[in-house]
């Protein structure tokens, strides 16, 4: 009985060591991928096209546009996305800054139009491939670039 307990203890310790080392490896490989993002979008930044007078609001995390957001988010970054989805993709979202089902559906539509992944989440691929609504400061006219 004592040998069986000792054997179980050794097996348990070995299994725990393997699990922990596996978790460590998982963290090591996940860190570079997650480091690409500044964080979860929590606001917006003003983007101007080369002194043209055209300005857009882009989702950002503390001023960094390399952020991500999903259904459930609620902030100015979501509102910036909603403005673009309405003006450039003909959606009719409430520009309320709440990433709900309608915003996700509209984002999936825009992702499909641009032939990128249609997961309904916002990140680098979406930011780089959708058109953004820019407003001309001279007369308030909107254009999509």
């Amino acid at each position: 009985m004592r040998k069986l307990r000792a054997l179980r203890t050794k097996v348990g310790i070995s299994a725990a060591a393997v699990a922990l080392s596996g978790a460590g490896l998982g963290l090591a490989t996940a860190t570079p991928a997650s480091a690409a993002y500044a964080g979860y979008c929590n606001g917006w930044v003003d983007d101007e096209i080369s002194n043209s007078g055209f300005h857009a609001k882009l989702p950002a995390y503390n001023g960094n546009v390399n952020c991500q957001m999903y259904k459930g988010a609620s902030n100015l970054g979501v509102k910036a996305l909603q403005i673009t989805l309405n003006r450039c993709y003909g959606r009719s979202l409430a520009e309320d800054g709440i990433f709900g089902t309608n915003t996700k559906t509209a984002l999936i539509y825009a992702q499909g139009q641009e032939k990128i992944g249609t997961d309904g989440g916002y990140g680098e691929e979406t930011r780089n491939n959708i058109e953004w609504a820019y407003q001309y400061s001279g007369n308030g006219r909107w254009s999509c670039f």
Side-chain angles (χ1 to χ4, degrees):
M1 184 73 164
R2 221 176 217 182
K3 285 185 180 182
L4 184 58
R5 245 186 235 159
L7 183 59
R8 283 184 183 166
T9 301
K10 286 180 183 179
V11 169
I13 291 171
S14 296
V18 169
L20 288 174
S21 68
L25 289 174
L27 291 175
T29 56
T31 302
S34 62
Y37 287 102
Y40 202 75
C41 305
N42 62 1
W44 67 24
V45 295
D46 183 66
D47 182 58
E48 182 180 9
I49 299 175
S50 303
N51 298 317
S52 67
F54 280 98
H55 294 264
K57 302 291 188 209
L58 300 179
Y61 171 75
N62 295 341
N64 186 333
V65 297
N66 201 16
C67 61
Q68 54 192 334
M69 60 186 168
Y70 304 92
K71 185 177 174 186
S74 178
N75 56 59
L76 290 176
V78 176
K79 184 173 181 173
L81 179 62
Q82 291 168 331
I83 291 168
T84 281
L85 293 171
N86 286 342
R87 303 241 180 229
C88 299
Y89 293 94
R91 306 296 91 189
S92 54
L93 299 168
E95 295 171 1
D96 57 6
I98 299 169
F99 198 136
T101 301
N102 292 341
T103 300
K104 180 178 179 178
T105 300
L107 183 56
I108 289 170
Y109 173 81
Q111 289 170 328
Q113 292 296 112
E114 302 305 332
K115 298 177 179 35
I116 58 174
T118 56
D119 61 359
Y122 176 85
E124 183 178 10
E125 183 178 21
T126 297
R127 184 189 76 243
N128 290 336
N129 289 288
I130 66 171
E131 292 191 348
W132 286 96
Y134 282 81
Q135 189 172 32
Y136 185 63
S137 56
N139 61 12
R141 178 175 50 97
W142 289 90
S143 295
C144 296
F145 300 106

